[in-house]
Amino acid sequence: MTEGFVSLVGAGPWDPELLTLAARDRLARADVVIVDYLVNPAVLLHCPPHTEVLQRVRGPHVGPGAPKLAQAQVNELMVARAKAGLYVVRLKGGDPMMFGRGAEEAQYLARHQVKFEFVPGVSSPIAAPQTAGIPITHRDHTPSVSFVSGYEAYEKAGLTVAWNHLANSAGTLVLMMSVKNARTNAQRLVDAGRDPSTPAAVVRWGTRGIQQTVVGTLGDLADRVAAAGIRPPAVMIVGDVVTLRERIQWFEQRPLFGRRVVVTRAARQAGGLVNLLAAEGADAVVFPCLDFAPAAADQQAALDQALRSFAPGGAGPDFAGVIVSSPNGVEALFEALARAQLDVRIFAGKLVAAIGTGTAERLIERGLRPDIVPDRARAEGLIQALRDRQVLGRAWLQIRADEGRELLGQAIAKAGGQLTLVVGYQTVRPAVPGLLLASLQPVDEGGEGYDAICFASGRTARHFLETTGEVLGDERARAHLARAKVIAIGPVTADAITALGIRVDAVATEQTEAGLRDAVLKLFATPSP
């Protein structure tokens, strides 16, 4: 039996881009992941399909059907899974050694002769003040910084915080887990000698597009936090460095700041749009509603045989060329060429058509430059392009997914041609972590809600309703969706979404990821006074 192992991994403060390369590597190899509730569920998309995900969660963040694991259960599960020869990732928010139980868990593993390692992560008391425009150190303001627990658990264990020392230090104070005790902790510092006029701030959900920052003084901060309705998780910063926020805040100035935007593309394809939205300040949520699987054996055989028709002496239709419908179709094409022991030379003297710039770019990356790329990335655009080239009525091979529109084949047949349609890959509905489902519920139901959702196909919209409906019920799922703005990548997708009974609020002008981003920006643009 393979010897088991446990990695105690820091996932960072929330932003999935702050996940370290080391952490991503561990997740990609995990058999089991035991995850805390302050970890962005999007990082779990790095896990392979077989990974068992267990949630160490509490309170309103518990996903539907998710087990509430006590710390003792977490310890026992790590040991049991590791001793069964599995690779376990214990995934913790921030850094596992910064006010977490990483060291305690390591001690438990050591007592049970289980090998382990620590993988550091970006910690929220450093990241949250930065994204709020508050430097925790500055040569003109403070020579030191102290990280302090603002939670009474340490005092219950007999580890009293040295408030007198902290109150009289010259450095910045960063108090963790301090929303509930903000008033008490501020008063302790004032009672110990800290000036009540000392600048102070609380930052909730640091590094997220829904980050909240409240600024005041030690004397009035608790009242401001209560008035703003700040909930955990948050950090409290005390010191003159807070005043620098007025001049160097940057994170909250971006146009989509405060907006949660759901991206429903396949996990492996969502990164581009997520990064574009995040760069504009949005809290981009990866909710994959599509995944891809290889075509069935008979479908692969049909594609291989069709490609052999292009080779010299090949039997079959005299194809004018090949039509590739998507970037995934490009990969299917080249996998088939390899299986059939062929290469791109079989397309010499033939036409290669790509539906969409993304498909064209993927073909070029693989060494095959398309001859035809329609202005409109849909069947209507390709039909017109083929008509303009006077080749619509010829024999064509099309590689696409297992589902699609029949418009192209009908137009080619009407023009006197023939379309041989082969399935290059299948689309499926992926499983979505329960924690991610829970986070999309409205604030009044314990989640964070969402302001907008982007769909790149009618199928992703259908899968979104199916996935959320299975957990929430169809009526509630549709009610939640009705609260948000719906953006479609193009008119065909918009029509498919409308057919599902979903209102469409915006349609991208360009059928690209940048086009979706621009549509979201325009939708939430502040009206001119």
Side-chain angles (χ1 to χ4, degrees):
M1 178 183 295
T2 304
E3 186 177 14
F5 191 83
V6 177
S7 292
L8 300 158
V9 178
W14 182 269
D15 183 349
E17 289 194 288
L18 295 179
L19 185 75
T20 67
L21 294 176
R24 185 181 67 183
D25 169 74
R26 283 11 176 228
L27 289 172
R29 296 187 282 114
D31 296 310
V32 181
V33 175
I34 304 174
V35 56
D36 282 345
Y37 87 102
L38 287 180
V39 172
N40 189 336
V43 304
L44 298 175
L45 299 174
H46 294 296
C47 300
H50 75 270
T51 303
E52 178 187 18
V53 177
L54 302 168
Q55 297 171 348
R56 166 73 169 109
V57 290
R58 61 178 181 265
H61 298 275
V62 178
K68 299 180 183 180
L69 300 177
Q71 184 60 49
Q73 292 175 291
V74 169
N75 294 345
E76 292 167 1
L77 280 167
M78 287 191 297
V79 170
R81 295 296 193 273
K83 290 199 170 183
L86 300 176
Y87 175 45
V88 180
V89 171
R90 175 68 173 101
L91 194 63
K92 305 173 76 68
D95 179 271
M97 300 282 265
M98 177 66 83
F99 293 118
R101 294 184 174 178
E104 297 169 44
E105 291 172 355
Q107 288 174 301
Y108 188 90
L109 293 171
R111 285 199 301 270
H112 290 81
Q113 291 80 49
V114 173
K115 293 183 178 179
F116 63 89
E117 67 170 349
F118 281 104
V119 178
V122 178
S123 192
S124 61
I126 297 173
Q130 283 188 37
T131 50
I134 301 172
I136 56 175
T137 63
H138 191 288
R139 67 178 62 193
D140 295 330
H141 291 268
T142 176
S144 63
V145 58
S146 298
F147 300 109
V148 187
S149 169
Y151 185 48
E152 66 272 13
Y154 286 85
E155 294 187 7
K156 290 178 180 178
L159 303 174
T160 304
V161 173
W163 295 104
N164 288 333
H165 169 73
L166 294 173
N168 293 285
S169 72
T172 303
L173 305 180
V174 182
L175 286 80
M176 304 285 293
M177 305 168 285
S178 58
V179 172
K180 179 181 177 182
N181 298 319
R183 188 178 304 278
T184 299
N185 291 337
Q187 190 60 51
R188 284 170 168 170
L189 288 169
V190 171
D191 291 345
R194 196 79 171 217
D195 190 334
S197 65
T198 302
V202 164
V203 182
R204 178 178 186 259
W205 275 133
T207 78
R208 297 187 65 174
I210 55 171
Q211 173 178 295
Q212 293 174 273
T213 305
V214 175
V215 176
T217 65
L218 266 183
D220 66 11
L221 184 63
D223 290 333
R224 293 174 182 266
V225 167
I230 298 295
R231 298 180 293 154
V235 300
M236 178 176 175
I237 307 103
V238 178
D240 291 341
V241 290
V242 172
T243 61
L244 295 172
R245 170 177 159 80
E246 296 178 3
R247 298 189 291 279
I248 65 172
Q249 63 169 303
W250 58 279
F251 190 78
E252 300 164 20
Q253 304 301 314
R254 298 177 296 178
L256 291 179
F257 178 77
R259 304 291 186 180
R260 279 196 103 204
V261 183
V262 179
V263 176
T264 58
R265 301 200 70 177
R268 72 187 82 168
Q269 296 179 340
L273 181 55
V274 166
N275 291 339
L276 288 173
L277 292 169
E280 301 295 340
D283 186 47
V285 183
V286 181
F287 191 101
C289 292
L290 207 63
D291 203 357
F292 307 103
D298 60 331
Q299 294 168 333
Q300 292 184 15
L303 174 53
D304 297 352
Q305 183 58 42
L307 290 177
R308 291 189 183 97
S309 299
F310 284 85
D318 181 18
F319 289 119
V322 60
I323 299 167
V324 189
S325 300
S326 67
N328 289 294
V330 175
E331 299 308 312
L333 167 61
F334 278 86
E335 288 170 5
L337 286 172
R339 285 196 304 267
Q341 297 184 326
L342 300 170
D343 57 42
V344 295
R345 288 175 293 180
I346 65 171
F347 299 120
K350 305 292 184 178
L351 293 172
V352 177
I355 301 181
T357 56
T359 306
E361 290 170 359
R362 187 69 60 85
L363 281 167
I364 292 170
E365 290 172 0
R366 300 300 298 262
L368 185 60
R369 184 172 295 277
D371 304 285
I372 302 172
V373 183
D375 293 334
R376 292 176 294 164
R378 49 184 170 145
E380 291 86 345
L382 180 61
I383 291 168
Q384 187 58 51
L386 295 178
R387 185 177 288 122
D388 292 343
R389 296 281 291 258
Q390 299 184 350
V391 291
L392 183 61
R394 300 281 300 278
W396 289 92
L397 173 67
Q398 182 186 14
I399 304 171
R400 72 167 201 196
D402 52 337
E403 289 186 26
R405 302 164 70 206
E406 305 304 324
L407 185 63
L408 179 59
Q410 293 168 356
I412 290 175
K414 186 176 181 179
Q418 174 188 350
L419 179 68
T420 299
L421 179 64
V422 291
V423 173
Y425 60 97
Q426 300 184 59
T427 54
V428 297
R429 179 163 64 99
V432 177
L435 202 61
L436 182 52
L437 278 166
S439 76
L440 295 187
Q441 295 184 55
V443 173
D444 56 9
E445 295 184 24
E448 298 292 347
Y450 55 102
D451 299 289
I453 184 167
C454 297
F455 292 117
S457 70
R459 185 177 302 188
T460 57
R462 187 175 78 237
H463 285 179
F464 180 81
L465 284 178
E466 290 172 354
T467 300
T468 55
E470 287 173 357
V471 176
L472 305 175
D474 185 64
E475 186 175 338
R476 282 183 65 205
R478 286 181 175 273
H480 290 177
L481 182 57
R483 300 186 185 191
K485 301 294 185 182
V486 175
I487 301 96
I489 198 170
V492 173
T493 298
D495 290 343
I497 295 172
T498 302
L500 293 170
I502 302 172
R503 180 198 70 255
V504 175
D505 298 284
V507 180
T509 303
E510 295 183 6
Q511 296 179 45
T512 61
E513 291 177 333
L516 278 171
R517 178 218 37 212
D518 293 343
V520 175
L521 282 167
K522 184 176 180 180
L523 194 61
F524 289 112
T526 304
S528 301

